[in-house]
């Protein structure tokens, strides 16, 4: 079975990223069967970290990790790439800025999807945040500057991959 056929058999992924209030953000993920909403506080720039992690995967990294801090607690996104698909595991830790090993976390969600589809949906979510809040509104609500450079980089990477 070719990579294209394999990816066609994967369920579509649904992703929604929002800034829900001053210093708070959330992401909802679903593959049609499994669904979970992950929240993050301003204690770290989880939104930008997610974008950078996905960029590294599109550039060829085999694994990636992103941490979203809670008050208290931490959601840890683990990405594992196999060719053009990724497995996303969301782990929960009771401690903020946890130093525990991944095995100590409680697994909240596991999704497998096309890397390109996930990256494209993430790009759309950040574009929507920019169009809805603007750079100033994003910074005011989330507490961090809008990652314009990273969004442009992801757009370029996806355009290049599409052209191949």
């Amino acid at each position: 079975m070719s990579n294209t056929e394999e990816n066609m058999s994967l369920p579509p992924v649904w992703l929604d990223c929002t800034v829900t209030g001053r210093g708070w953000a959330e992401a909802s993920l679903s593959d049609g069967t499994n669904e979970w909403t992950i929240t993050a506080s301003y204690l770290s720039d989880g939104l930008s970290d997610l974008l950078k992690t996905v960029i590294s995967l599109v550039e060829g990294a085999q694994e990636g990790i992103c941490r979203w801090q809670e008050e208290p607690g931490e959601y840890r996104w683990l990405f594992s790439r196999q060719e053009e698909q990724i497995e996303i595991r969301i782990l929960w830790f009771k401690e903020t800025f946890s130093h525990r090993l991944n095995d100590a976390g409680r697994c909240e969600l596991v999704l497998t999807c096309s890397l390109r589809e996930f990256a494209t949906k993430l790009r759309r979510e950040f574009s929507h945040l920019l169009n809805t809040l603007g750079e100033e509104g994003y910074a005011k609500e989330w507490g961090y500057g809008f990652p314009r450079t990273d969004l442009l980089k992801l757009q370029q990477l996806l355009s290049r991959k599409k052209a191949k």
Side-chain angles (χ1 to χ4, degrees), residues 35-158:
E35 186 174 336
W36 198 256
T37 297
I38 300 103
T39 55
S41 85
Y42 68 95
L43 294 176
S44 69
D45 190 0
L47 287 171
S48 184
D49 291 345
L50 178 60
L51 186 57
K52 287 176 182 175
T53 301
V54 171
I55 287 169
S56 74
L57 293 164
V58 172
E59 290 178 321
Q62 295 302 303
E63 295 181 342
I65 188 167
C66 170
R67 291 174 169 87
W68 281 23
Q69 302 308 315
E70 270 286 349
E71 296 181 27
E74 175 182 283
Y75 283 107
R76 196 173 295 171
W77 303 58
L78 303 178
F79 293 87
S80 177
R81 178 181 176 172
Q82 183 134 22
E83 296 181 20
E84 295 306 312
Q85 71 181 42
I86 53 171
E87 178 186 84
I88 305 168
R89 292 178 61 221
I90 307 291
L91 304 179
W92 169 252
F93 297 84
K94 292 180 182 177
E95 308 84 17
T96 305
F97 296 104
S98 178
H99 294 289
R100 292 179 180 256
L101 297 177
N102 293 338
D103 292 344
R106 183 178 74 221
C107 187
E108 298 288 337
L109 178 69
V110 178
L111 295 176
T112 301
C113 62
S114 156
L115 170 58
R116 180 173 185 75
E117 180 185 8
F118 187 81
T120 299
K121 292 196 175 182
L122 186 63
R123 179 193 54 79
R124 286 183 190 144
E125 289 303 306
F126 272 89
S127 294
H128 179 74
L129 286 169
L130 180 60
N131 292 335
T132 304
L133 298 172
E135 288 192 38
E136 190 176 305
Y138 179 92
K140 182 178 177 185
E141 286 300 306
W142 177 227
Y144 293 91
F146 186 82
R148 179 178 284 281
T149 303
D150 290 325
L151 177 58
L152 291 172
K153 184 174 186 176
L154 183 58
Q155 288 171 334
Q156 290 169 349
L157 287 167
L158 290 170

